[in-house]
Structures are given as C-alpha cells and as structure tokens.
Amino acid sequence: MATIISRRRVVADNWQLLKLSADGSIDIPSDGDVIVPLSVWLAQRDALVKRTARLGVWLEGKDDPALLAADFKHFALIAVHFEHFVDGRGYSIARLLRERCGWQGELRAIGDVLRDQLFYLSGCGFDTFALRADQDVQAAITAFADFSEAYQASVERPQPLFRRRSSIPKNDTTDASI
Amino acid sequence: MYLYDEIDQRLVDERVAQFRDQTRRFLTGELSEDDFRPLRLQNGLYIQRLAPMLRIAIPYGLLASRQLRALADIARKWDRGYGHFSTRQNIQFNWPKLEDVPDILAKLATVQMHAIQTSGNCIRNTTTDHFAGTSPDEIVDPLVWCEIIRQWSTFHPEYAYLPRKFKIAVSGSESDRAATQVHDIGLQATRDATGQVGFRVFAGGGLGRTPLLGAVMREFLPWQHLLTYLEAILRVYNRFGRRDNKYRARIKILVKELTPDVFRAQVENEWSHLKGGAATLTSDEVQRIEKRFTRPAYRKSDALSPDYVLALATDKAFSNWVRRNVQAHKVAGYAAVTLSLKKTGAPPGDATADQMDAIAELADNFSFGELRVSHEQNLILADVRQTDLFELWQRARALGLATPNIGLITNIIACPGGDFCSLANAKSIPVAEALQARFDDLDYLHDIGELDLNISGCMNSCGHHHIGHIGILGVDKQGAEYYQISIGGAQGNQAALGKVLGPSVSQAEVPDVIERLIELYLARRDSEEERFIDVVRRIGINPFKEYVYGNHHQPAASRRRQLATA
C-alpha cells in the first residue's frame, strides 16, 4: 500500500490514480476509490456518480479549475498533477480551487512532487502529497518547517504579514541592527 | 538603508539553513543534479564554464559600507580577490566552491544580505534608478516601493516556478531612469488629476532575442492596489505563459501572441477577483517600511565654498570630472558622485577586494556610510557635500575610480562574456578593453560627448546592447566569434531598440567600425549639443551603414592614422 503525507503525517493511502491509456481509453474498476482525469469526469459523469466508492478527479497544469466548481459535491478529493516539478501552473490552480472556487475538501499534489517544494505547495492550499517514488517520505516532513513565517497572503495565511504584525508579540518585531 | 526587523532576519537565516541542507543532500547524492538545479539557481548559484558563479542581490542597488566590506571579505576568502558588479544591481563572484556557498550565504546574512531569487524562473531582484531618493524630480521614493515588492516577491509560494525569469523595475519619477519599459513589469510613479499617487504599469518589455518595449497595462494604478495588480499579472503569466520553448517563455511573448489588448483584458478579469483583497496595501504599512529606512542627516550647507569654485575654474581635470561624474541633488549643498568602475584596462564593473574596502571608507567619510550600485555598473556616493567634492576627487583618483567618463563612450556596459559565462557566443571584456584603449584620449572623449555603448556576449542581452546608442552583440559565425553592431537604441522615456547596422565583424575590426561611426557622427552633427543618438534619429542609420560598409577598399581610420605617422 502506498504512503502519502497528509496534514504533515505519513499515512497509508488506497486511492487509485487512473490515467488514460495510449489509445485514449480508460478502465474504471467497479469498486474502490478512484481519481479520474478531468476529461473522463466531463465525458462519463453519469456513470461515475453511480459508483458507490469515493470519487476524485485530477487536473493537469493546462486545465481550468473553474470547470469543476459546480460539481464539488461529487468529489471526495481533487488532485493536481505535476508533470515536472518546475512546471508551476499547479500552484495557481490550487489557489484558484481554494480561494476562488471554494473547494474545502482534500487537495492532493501528485506526479513529480518532491520534498523541496512542499513548503510552497502547502502555502497554495495542498494538504496531501503523493511524493515521487524515490522520495524519503518520512524525512520530507521537516520541509513544512523550512520557514516559520511568510510575507504574502496565501491559503495557509489568508492575511499577509503586514496585516498580522499587530498581533505578533513585541519581541518578534524588535530591530535587528546592521 | 532598510534595516531588517527580526522576521526579515529570521527568514534569511532560515533560507541559509535550508540551502545548507539541500547542498549537503546534493553532495551526498541524495538530491540529483536535475532536482538540485532549480534550488541552487534560486540561491544565485550557477555552474559556469570555469567554476560556479554566485550572484548576490543588492536590493534596488542600495549598499551599506559594512555590507561592501563583507563582500570584500568574501572576495578574499572564497574567491580570487575581486567581484563583478552586473547590470542588474547584483554582484557576481566567479570562483566560489559549491561546498563553500552555504558559508558564504551565512556570512551575507550577518550583514542583512542574501542571494535569494537572483536566478531561476522566479521573481528576481527588483531594480530602480540609482539616484533614487536624491533626485529633485521624484514623486515617490522608489526604494520604499522596491522594498515592499521585495517582501511580497520573496518566497512567494505561487510564483517560484514560472515559465521563465521575471524582472520588475520601479521608477520614482516621470523621467524614467530605471529602464522600466524593457522589464517584464515596469512601474513608473505618476499622479492622477486629483494629485493621488500611483503607478503607470507596463508589462511585456524585455531584451534578449526578441526585444520588445512594454505595453501599458494601466495609465494609473492607485498605490493601494499595487500588490493585487502584480498578483493578477503574475497569475495570468504563470498559467498561460509558454513552457514548451524556453526562448518563447518570457511574458513579452505571451503579451505579443495574445496582443496587449487581450492580455490586458485577462489581467483585468483576474484582478477583478483580487482587487480590494487582503493584499491591498495600507498607509500604515507603507509608513512602516518608510520608517525602517535610515535617512542621511543632511547638514545645512553654505553656498559653494571659495576653494571649490576656485578648483572648478582652474583645474581642468577636476572640472571635467565634476561635469561628467557629479549629479544634482534635491538637498542644497549636496551632490551625487559616480565612482567609475570603467577605467581603461579594467573589465567593466569589476572591483577588487582592496577597492571595495577603499570605497567603503569613502562612503563612510563622504556619504553617510551608504552607496549605490548602478545598472551602468558603477558605484555611486549619493549624498556628498559639495564642499567635500575636491577632496573626494583626489582620493578617488588615487584609487583609480575617478575616470571622468560617465555617459561617455568608454563608460561601457558589458556582461562578463565568453571569458566566464557558459552561455556566451563571444567574449565581451576584451572588446570593451580595446574600445577603452581606442578612445583613451580624454579631449577626444569629451568632444564625442554623451554616448551609451553596451556589449552583450550573446542574445541573452545581459549587457543590454539593444538599448545602447551603440550596441555590440557577440554572435557565433561557423564557430568563430563575431560581433553584430546596432545603433539607435536608447533607455529612458524615449526608449528605443537599436537597429542592426550590417554584417557582423571580427573582434579586431570592432574598434575600427566604432571609430567610423564616431567620425561620421562628428562630421554630421549640427553642433556640440547634438548627441550621437540625436544624429542617428535625425539622419537614420543608412548614412552610417554606407560609411562603415560602403567602401571596402578604403582603409579604416586607425590604419589611415598609422599610415600618416609612418
């Protein structure tokens, strides 16, 4: 059974990630929790909603997250696939899902997901992470604590630092001398 | 100087720890070269032709003497005793060892410096006018706005993996001294009809192999909305910028392919959701940042001292220097002084560790312990009392930093070129040196007058050759190093991209070609007031083209001179 990071802990996971085969077809098992590509959801939604197991859908960098906004009630999970970790489109998709479309369920990063991007992914609203197979999942947990603050407004910190300063203890804002 | 608070400092320290661990994992083989590359780039570390190159940010060009001394220490301890000031308000070291870089970054953090996002496909160091805060014509102090943007862009979670690098420039006045129209985003301070302060926003400018001037996104953006508007532009770019071809990946290509009108409509649509959100700036925050800048305690100064007036009248070398290297200041009795790093025989922008220490002392003695790094690769003492100018000049001259060539042809802007950079097609530093030697006669130099000459070793255009009055670009011609010459480029409000003069020429021919351009200019100008660029604009490039290429049998000027003296 695969392991993923969920809310900063390593947990077992039994979701099946389904991909289109080379000829464009896809085999959807009758049982079990599955994550299907957006195109499959759009084409086969009637069949998919009849399944009893939980349903997830996954997006690619080029996909428009707004296409899902009216369908949230059907999903237990939305995943965003990173073809290569340097393709940063998924970060914007995550924020749009969380901040614009109002998705509050599980948001999972899949594909080329590495330890050194976890801090930023988390800031953009991902809460579960299926790391690339070669990654040390247990060691990766420390990456969430790489930084103890952030300047920007984000999903994790809806208020930017400058709007939170008044509530930060005084000794945290004393001058550093040069 | 902007002084870090505890959180600013903590984030920079945490970055050092993060990169130390990443470097350790790379050296033990846990992290592959491919996975490590974007991480080291976002900490300024390139693996170059000869050795790693570390690029350190000098945010908006502002540097304290103590920081410059730390750079000198780094040059001595971890490099070969010198550094190279780039065209983007950074300093580059060409010889550090990969395993030493975490220690170098830790040393930088002790003086509130870093190499964060100085490379990689992320938001880079924000640049501005090198006279920021001292010019009489400023609407806002661009340093404050650059620091606001620095904080917003530092470790921005959404924009660390953009299609390509992303550069923002800020001009605090209507007169653009920050080349805002050739940046991915250019911000120019302005006022609306009611006197409210805001910014004219350009997007999609850039140099490189597809040079383009930025398109106006908004004629007036009220200052409160700056960050949400930047977010909107970045989000549209991050989602829709091309990622299939690195040469088509800059925002300028997206703006061009969509057309500026369509791109603007997409940005405005995105912004309609972000406008008024939590990132909307408050006057409290702007004031908080303003107050964290130390300001020079200007003294009331007498009118010009008799000694200064006398020296100006009697010492031609001094008055030449004042004319070229000293700039007016908003405070009476003060001036801004450019220390030239363009002495003949020295690579443009290079400074030795000893020079850095000496310059730090000049800054302490004459300019409140602060200096500026200009995109023209010189150092500036921005707050010098006029009564101190003569003494400063003498000391700068003894250090080889008083070449009176600011704005002149020998104030060459050049990238490190093929001697150091693995991207370059051709060398740039020997070309700069040959030109400095050719135009070494000071009277001739001053007679030629204002002229920007820029050299890039390849299409990446780090030497900004497109916006030089004369631009020189290194090209590869069947494996040999050749140079393509263009003329008519300009920075500032009348920004323009140079036009290619004709077939590229060999390294040995470059000084002859430039000299012929100058000869024709001197023959065709209507007065000493008419600059080279003005003549190019008036008569076009064809007369220059014909004069350079027209008569192949005619010997070049230098050879004629040699024949005459033989």
Side-chain angles (χ1 to χ4, degrees):
Chain A
M1 186 169 289
T3 53
I4 61 158
I5 298 175
S6 173
R7 294 180 183 79
R8 308 195 178 189
R9 288 175 48 234
V10 178
V11 299
D13 183 70
N14 52 15
W15 281 93
Q16 286 181 70
L17 182 69
L18 304 185
K19 296 188 176 184
L20 293 177
S21 58
D23 64 2
S25 66
I26 192 163
D27 277 335
I28 300 171
S30 52
D31 292 323
D33 300 341
V34 294
I35 311 172
V36 301
L38 172 67
S39 60
V40 171
W41 164 251
L42 295 175
Q44 304 185 35
R45 61 180 292 151
D46 291 343
L48 288 165
V49 296
K50 285 183 189 135
R51 292 175 83 254
T52 51
R54 293 186 303 165
L55 180 66
V57 63
W58 63 271
L59 304 177
E60 294 179 79
K62 64 175 172 50
D63 289 336
D64 180 2
L67 291 175
L68 290 181
D71 296 337
F72 283 168
K73 63 175 185 292
H74 299 293
F75 308 130
L77 175 158
I78 296 176
V80 178
H81 183 253
F82 287 81
E83 182 66 33
H84 187 213
F85 76 91
V86 297
D87 182 341
R89 290 177 292 183
Y91 294 85
S92 289
I93 290 175
R95 287 194 74 171
L96 288 169
L97 282 169
R98 290 289 195 212
E99 296 173 335
R100 184 116 356 127
C101 306
W103 173 249
Q104 298 191 347
E106 178 176 349
L107 184 57
R108 180 176 295 193
I110 59 173
D112 200 35
V113 179
L114 316 183
R115 164 195 177 140
D116 291 291
Q117 284 75 49
L118 292 180
F119 185 83
Y120 289 159
L121 289 168
S122 175
C124 289
F126 289 102
D127 53 6
T128 65
F129 307 86
L131 272 64
R132 195 175 71 191
D134 66 343
Q135 300 288 296
D136 180 339
V137 183
Q138 195 62 49
I141 301 278
T142 59
F144 294 103
D146 277 356
F147 297 97
S148 54
E149 252 303 349
Y151 291 113
Q152 307 78 10
S154 65
V155 176
E156 269 189 325
R157 296 176 172 84
Q159 297 292 313
L161 179 60
F162 69 81
R163 288 181 188 271
R164 291 185 281 112
R165 280 183 186 272
S166 56
S167 58
I168 292 170
K170 261 273 182 308
N171 65 349
D172 268 6
T173 54
T174 48
D175 293 1
S177 65
I178 184 164
Chain B
M1 282 311 295
Y2 174 82
L3 296 182
Y4 281 7
D5 72 4
E6 191 276 336
I7 296 173
D8 299 322
Q9 183 69 52
R10 194 194 327 149
L11 287 170
V12 169
D13 292 341
E14 287 171 347
R15 177 62 150 200
V16 175
Q18 182 194 42
F19 188 64
R20 192 182 290 285
D21 183 57
Q22 289 166 344
T23 304
R24 179 192 64 74
R25 282 187 278 133
F26 173 68
L27 291 172
T28 59
E30 280 176 64
L31 200 52
S32 72
E33 169 55 32
D34 283 348
D35 293 345
F36 183 54
R37 188 184 304 112
L39 308 178
R40 65 169 162 74
L41 288 174
Q42 298 213 10
N43 286 285
L45 184 61
Y46 285 77
I47 304 296
Q48 287 280 31
R49 180 167 288 180
L50 298 172
M53 182 273 274
L54 180 65
R55 178 184 292 150
I56 294 162
I58 300 171
Y60 34 91
L62 194 56
L63 197 59
S65 56
R66 187 176 157 202
Q67 294 174 321
L68 186 56
R69 288 192 180 93
L71 294 173
D73 288 347
I74 288 168
R76 278 193 200 95
K77 184 166 178 188
W78 287 293
D79 204 274
R80 296 190 180 172
Y82 66 95
H84 173 81
F85 288 98
S86 79
T87 54
R88 295 208 65 260
Q89 301 184 320
N90 296 303
I91 183 169
Q92 299 178 176
F93 289 108
N94 277 301
W95 307 98
K97 289 201 190 78
L98 170 65
E99 55 269 34
D100 289 338
V101 171
D103 288 339
I104 299 175
L105 297 181
K107 165 85 180 177
L108 288 170
T110 65
V111 291
Q112 305 188 0
M113 292 185 81
H114 59 75
I116 294 162
Q117 293 169 209
T118 55
S119 182
N121 295 336
C122 53
I123 304 171
R124 304 284 191 87
N125 189 20
T126 299
T127 52
T128 187
D129 173 5
H130 44 263
F131 295 116
T134 71
S135 304
D137 62 347
E138 279 178 354
I139 295 166
V140 298
D141 181 349
L143 300 177
V144 171
W145 292 91
C146 285
E147 176 59 24
I148 288 170
I149 295 169
R150 185 191 77 82
Q151 297 191 10
W152 165 78
S153 61
T154 297
F155 311 144
H156 196 299
E158 190 177 346
Y159 306 125
Y161 297 98
L162 296 169
R164 202 74 179 83
K165 57 191 172 184
F166 202 91
K167 301 173 183 178
I168 302 174
V170 182
S171 172
S173 62
E174 292 275 7
S175 159
D176 175 20
R177 291 177 292 260
T180 55
Q181 290 182 61
V182 293
H183 282 77
D184 297 288
I185 292 178
L187 299 168
Q188 194 174 14
T190 182
R191 289 182 193 278
D192 70 0
T194 67
Q196 193 195 180
V197 170
F199 296 92
R200 184 176 296 118
V201 183
F202 297 93
L207 299 174
R209 66 184 65 209
T210 312
L212 286 165
L213 296 177
V216 176
M217 292 291 107
R218 283 210 149 226
E219 281 294 342
F220 183 80
L221 177 73
W223 61 267
Q224 295 89 335
H225 300 301
L226 179 66
L227 298 185
T228 53
Y229 202 80
L230 294 181
E231 294 263 3
I233 295 176
L234 263 301
R235 184 168 288 165
V236 171
Y237 172 55
N238 189 40
R239 292 190 63 200
F240 303 113
R242 286 180 61 172
R243 292 173 186 266
D244 57 326
N245 176 344
K246 73 179 265 197
Y247 301 114
R248 312 292 295 164
R250 294 289 290 268
I251 193 176
K252 64 190 172 186
I253 303 294
L254 179 65
V255 174
K256 187 177 172 217
E257 288 183 350
L258 289 174
T259 76
D261 286 341
V262 171
F263 178 78
R264 187 186 305 107
Q266 292 189 5
V267 169
E268 291 284 326
N269 178 52
E270 182 60 38
W271 188 51
S272 69
H273 298 281
L274 301 172
K275 186 182 177 186
T280 305
L281 280 163
T282 61
S283 53
D284 278 358
E285 171 63 1
V286 177
Q287 282 169 22
R288 188 188 70 82
I289 300 271
E290 253 170 8
K291 283 187 189 141
R292 297 205 66 81
F293 277 88
T294 58
R295 300 287 176 181
Y298 297 113
R299 283 182 288 175
K300 247 212 169 90
S301 207
D302 299 331
L304 298 177
S305 75
D307 288 352
Y308 171 72
V309 175
L310 184 69
L312 211 51
T314 58
D315 193 325
K316 182 143 185 271
F318 178 61
S319 67
N320 262 343
W321 178 78
V322 170
R323 193 169 126 219
R324 297 302 344 169
N325 295 33
V326 175
Q327 189 85 13
H329 198 289
K330 67 179 179 188
V331 178
Y334 283 82
V337 171
T338 302
L339 301 173
S340 172
L341 295 178
K342 309 293 177 67
K343 193 185 172 194
T344 299
D350 272 15
T352 65
D354 291 345
Q355 276 180 325
M356 290 184 217
D357 279 339
I359 293 166
E361 196 178 327
L362 292 181
D364 283 341
N365 293 343
F366 295 101
S367 195
F368 301 95
E370 283 185 21
L371 53 144
R372 312 293 180 89
V373 182
S374 78
H375 72 273
E376 295 174 343
Q377 302 173 290
N378 291 309
L379 297 177
I380 289 162
L381 299 179
D383 303 284
V384 179
R385 295 182 80 185
Q386 267 168 347
T387 53
D388 290 340
L389 285 173
F390 190 73
E391 191 191 340
L392 170 59
W393 172 67
Q394 288 177 311
R395 289 180 53 181
R397 199 159 67 148
L399 295 166
L401 299 166
T403 311
N405 64 351
I406 305 310
L408 303 182
I409 191 169
T410 56
N411 183 35
I412 293 167
I413 297 176
C415 68
D419 292 307
F420 296 104
C421 177
S422 56
L423 303 171
N425 291 319
K427 296 182 174 66
S428 50
I429 290 170
V431 175
E433 288 177 350
L435 288 170
Q436 285 168 331
R438 176 65 61 90
F439 293 97
D440 200 33
D441 178 333
L442 271 182
D443 288 330
Y444 186 40
L445 188 61
H446 285 261
D447 186 40
I448 297 166
E450 260 185 67
L451 200 156
D452 294 345
L453 191 147
N454 297 51
I455 307 174
S456 302
C458 74
M459 262 307 181
N460 288 305
S461 314
C462 298
H464 301 171
H465 65 277
H466 296 294
I467 53 170
H469 300 165
I470 296 176
I472 300 177
L473 166 67
V475 292
D476 180 276
K477 213 164 155 177
Q478 282 121 39
E481 296 186 3
Y482 270 69
Y483 296 86
Q484 188 184 71
I485 316 283
S486 57
I487 61 173
Q491 52 177 323
N493 296 59
Q494 284 192 290
L497 303 167
K499 292 200 177 78
V500 175
L501 194 66
S504 53
V505 300
S506 71
Q507 186 178 329
E509 291 170 309
V510 171
D512 291 343
V513 170
I514 305 305
E515 191 159 8
R516 282 187 77 74
L517 292 174
I518 300 303
E519 278 176 8
L520 185 75
Y521 154 64
L522 293 173
R524 299 290 294 271
R525 72 179 175 186
D526 55 23
S527 74
E528 283 192 17
E529 308 308 306
E530 195 181 31
R531 302 169 303 160
F532 177 86
I533 182 68
D534 302 325
V535 172
V536 177
R537 283 181 182 144
R538 178 166 59 81
I539 70 176
I541 79 161
N542 282 334
F544 289 92
K545 189 184 275 186
E546 282 161 22
Y547 192 68
V548 169
Y549 296 101
N551 301 306
H552 285 288
H553 60 276
Q554 189 179 338
S558 64
R559 268 175 278 145
R560 277 208 311 279
R561 273 208 312 269
Q562 283 164 6
L563 289 172
T565 54

